[in-house]
């Protein structure tokens, strides 16, 4: 999978830009706040339909403009795809794939697959469970778009159920209909997540052992808020959810909120048996996230048949030389975009193929290339 070209109009600090990319490595060099990350964000937007930096599409449009336009040309093994996104400050965004207007944003998923690695990804390990659920949901949605729709339905039911619990807090309510609806969508989400974590945990452990030369063992565990066995099917999980909702009913009525379900799930990272969040050094936390991101690449390749695009946003400075070398060595079959302030920090090999783009105040020039 390759992003061959991108075109931007009135996007962030780019008034008008059109670039052709190298199929292997693309290096974006510039000082901070010049537009490097904006370019990665535009590629990510074409894959996911939303930014990884803001929830407001209006922030993506230049301040003195009403609209912004993004177009990417994507080459895959079995087809070529044009993705166009029109952002408007006064109306909903329009997304087209091969000139066909999408009725639902979720239909964009799978046309372009990306893995993003940025310093912010340390939050996956260091911060609250919301960050880890977001990671799970984004990655599964790219590979299995129907998961995205199931999750949206669950969140809609959850919001309505919570509203009722809050408005009638402390009163005895008949929640059976709401419980059935919640369990209907929660059960497949839990199964999807369990299967995803089981697969990525194996890959992440292998990656981590290679990076640490066998000194550390990384475990990634799915912490479901509902009782879950390895061989449970969707119907088994649904039964467990309905049973547990009855058990916690009095607690929910008192608190005015739903206390079990996928919205309470978490991931646990352990190195050599110790929780990385509580006991891991910063270096161990970074290595755990690096292992997770490299595992994502392999998992996506196994699922969709080709590697996704890798976006590395200012992460080289976060890694020591050994981890930088391991990362660069892993990129030979993957189109990669790296943002950095210094070319020398990348430790590229003599036979590395790449293009270098210098970025300054929303202006880009091709500095050099090595084919």
């Amino acid at each position: 999978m390759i992003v061959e070209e991108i075109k931007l109009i009135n996007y962030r600090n780019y008034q008008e830009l059109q670039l052709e990319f190298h199929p292997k490595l693309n290096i974006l060099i510039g000082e901070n706040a010049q537009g490097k990350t904006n370019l990665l964000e535009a590629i990510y937007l074409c894959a996911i339909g939303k930014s990884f930096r803001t929830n407001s599409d209006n922030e993506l449009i230049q301040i003195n403009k009403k609209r912004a336009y993004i177009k990417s040309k994507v080459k895959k093994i079995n087809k070529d795809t044009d993705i166009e996104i029109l952002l408007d400050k006064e109306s909903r965004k329009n997304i087209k794939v091969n000139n066909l207007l999408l009725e639902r944003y979720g239909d964009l998923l799978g046309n372009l697959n990306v893995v993003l690695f940025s310093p912010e990804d340390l939050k996956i390990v260091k911060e609250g469970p919301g960050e880890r659920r977001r990671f799970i949901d984004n990655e599964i949605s790219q590979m299995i778009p129907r998961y995205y729709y199931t999750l949206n339905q669950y969140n809609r039911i959850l919001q309505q159920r919570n509203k009722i619990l809050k408005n009638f807090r402390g009163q005895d309510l008949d929640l059976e209909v709401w419980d059935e609806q919640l369990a209907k969508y929660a059960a497949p989400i839990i199964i999807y997540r369990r299967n995803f974590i089981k697969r990525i945990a194996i890959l992440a452990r292998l990656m981590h052992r290679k990076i640490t030369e066998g000194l550390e063992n990384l475990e990634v565990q799915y912490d479901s808020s509902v009782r879950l066995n390895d061989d449970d099917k969707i119907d088994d999980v649904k039964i467990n959810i309905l049973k547990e909702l009855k058990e916690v009913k009095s607690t929910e009525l008192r608190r005015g909120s739903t206390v079990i379900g996928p919205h309470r799930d978490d991931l646990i990272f352990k190195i050599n048996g110790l929780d990385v969040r509580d006991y891991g050094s910063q270096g161990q936390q970074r290595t755990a996230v690096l292992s997770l991101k490299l595992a994502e690449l392999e998992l996506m390749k196994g699922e969709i048949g080709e590697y996704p695009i890798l976006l590395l946003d200012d992460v080289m400075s976060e890694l020591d030389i050994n981890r930088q070398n391991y990362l660069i060595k892993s990129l030979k079959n993957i189109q990669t975009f790296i943002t950095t302030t210094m070319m020398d920090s990348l430790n590229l090999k003599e036979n590395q193929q790449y293009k270098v783009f210098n970025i300054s105040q929303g202006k880009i020039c091709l500095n050099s290339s090595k084919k």
Side-chain angles (χ1 to χ4, degrees):
M1 186 178 303
I2 297 168
V3 177
E4 295 184 305
E5 183 180 315
I6 197 163
K7 181 177 182 179
L8 305 176
I9 298 175
N10 299 332
Y11 184 87
R12 293 285 194 179
N13 66 334
Y14 294 107
Q15 186 169 349
E16 188 165 354
L17 175 71
Q18 187 161 351
L19 289 179
E20 293 182 2
F21 297 121
H22 195 285
K24 297 292 186 181
L25 180 59
N26 296 274
I27 303 166
L28 312 176
I29 297 180
E31 297 299 322
N32 293 329
Q34 300 303 302
K36 304 188 302 295
T37 300
N38 293 346
L39 192 54
L40 297 195
E41 181 187 44
I43 296 171
Y44 186 91
L45 190 74
C46 289
I48 308 297
K50 58 184 179 181
S51 166
F52 60 85
R53 302 155 76 195
T54 177
N55 292 321
S56 172
D57 287 341
N58 284 353
E59 290 183 24
L60 309 180
I61 305 171
Q62 286 193 347
I63 294 175
N64 59 340
K65 303 293 182 180
K66 292 182 179 179
R67 300 179 186 88
Y69 174 78
I70 308 99
K71 180 177 182 180
S72 62
K73 290 183 175 293
V74 181
K75 187 175 185 63
K76 302 173 76 171
I77 291 175
N78 56 357
K79 66 175 180 179
D80 295 344
T81 303
D82 287 349
I83 299 171
E84 298 173 87
I85 300 178
L86 179 64
L87 304 173
D88 192 313
K89 290 181 177 178
E90 297 179 355
S91 63
R92 72 193 297 267
K93 64 187 165 199
N94 286 337
I95 303 177
K96 289 183 179 180
V97 174
N98 292 334
N99 291 320
L100 294 176
L101 182 65
L102 302 186
E103 294 183 4
R104 303 181 300 178
Y105 293 151
D107 292 343
L108 174 64
L109 297 170
N111 286 285
L112 170 60
N113 297 88
V114 299
V115 169
L116 170 71
F117 186 18
S118 76
E120 291 291 299
D121 286 314
L122 283 173
K123 291 179 179 178
I124 296 173
V125 171
K126 295 173 67 173
E127 298 200 2
E131 293 292 334
R132 292 181 281 282
R133 287 194 295 269
R134 190 173 299 112
F135 158 74
I136 297 171
D137 293 339
N138 283 343
E139 304 321 312
I140 301 178
S141 294
Q142 283 199 74
M143 295 183 288
I144 310 172
R146 63 181 175 273
Y147 174 86
Y148 169 83
Y149 293 112
T150 304
L151 185 65
N152 279 352
Q153 291 282 12
Y154 173 80
N155 287 332
R156 183 177 61 83
I157 297 297
L158 176 65
Q159 186 178 32
Q160 293 171 340
R161 189 177 188 273
N162 280 341
K163 186 176 181 180
I164 290 172
L165 285 167
K166 183 178 180 180
N167 289 343
F168 297 92
R169 180 182 295 179
Q171 300 182 36
D172 189 17
L173 300 173
D174 183 0
L175 297 170
E176 187 172 341
V177 173
W178 290 105
D179 291 355
E180 281 286 343
Q181 286 295 305
L182 197 75
K184 174 184 176 181
Y185 295 108
I189 290 170
I190 290 170
I191 294 296
Y192 280 131
R193 287 180 176 179
R194 181 198 65 187
N195 295 344
F196 169 74
I197 296 305
K198 285 171 67 174
R199 293 171 65 191
I200 204 168
I202 294 170
L203 293 167
R205 183 172 67 246
L206 292 173
M207 297 293 177
H208 197 88
R209 287 188 65 81
K210 288 180 182 178
I211 295 171
T212 62
E213 299 179 339
L215 296 177
E216 295 180 354
N217 183 54
L218 174 67
E219 298 174 71
V220 184
Q221 301 170 351
Y222 178 32
D223 184 17
S224 173
S225 66
V226 178
R227 287 189 292 270
L228 181 66
N229 299 313
D230 281 347
D231 57 350
D232 278 350
K233 304 293 190 294
I234 289 177
D235 287 343
D236 300 319
V237 176
K238 183 177 178 181
I239 290 170
N240 288 344
I241 293 170
L242 290 171
K243 181 180 178 181
E244 291 186 37
L245 283 172
K246 286 184 173 62
E247 293 172 357
V248 299
K249 182 178 179 180
S250 60
T251 301
E252 291 188 329
L253 291 173
R254 186 175 68 255
R255 293 185 183 179
S257 64
T258 305
V259 300
I260 65 165
H263 64 290
R264 302 297 295 267
D265 287 350
D266 201 353
L267 280 181
I268 298 172
F269 295 90
K270 292 183 179 181
I271 291 179
N272 296 341
L274 297 176
D275 193 306
V276 180
R277 183 183 180 191
D278 294 329
Y279 301 104
S281 67
Q282 193 164 28
Q284 287 177 316
Q285 291 173 346
R286 287 171 176 159
T287 305
V289 175
L290 173 59
S291 301
L292 194 67
K293 291 296 175 176
L294 293 173
E296 276 186 72
L297 294 170
E298 298 298 332
L299 183 58
M300 278 199 190
K301 182 179 184 293
E303 187 70 30
I304 65 178
E306 56 187 315
Y307 281 110
I309 309 302
L310 178 60
L311 308 176
L312 300 175
D313 188 21
D314 196 29
V315 295
M316 289 307 186
S317 60
E318 299 286 324
L319 304 173
D320 62 26
I321 294 297
N322 290 335
R323 285 155 181 75
Q324 286 184 32
N325 289 338
Y326 187 87
L327 179 55
I328 292 293
K329 190 167 63 174
S330 303
L331 305 182
K332 57 184 179 180
N333 297 316
I334 303 166
Q335 189 187 31
T336 303
F337 295 80
I338 297 179
T339 67
T340 183
T341 56
M342 291 173 33
M343 184 76 176
D344 293 343
S345 66
L346 299 182
N347 298 306
L348 298 178
K349 304 301 180 184
E350 283 294 323
N351 60 349
Q352 192 83 46
Q353 298 175 319
Y354 57 81
K355 270 187 179 181
V356 178
F357 300 90
N358 278 340
I359 302 180
S360 178
Q361 297 181 344
K363 305 291 184 183
I364 297 183
C365 67
L366 178 61
N367 179 288
S368 62
S369 65
K370 189 174 179 181
K371 298 182 179 180

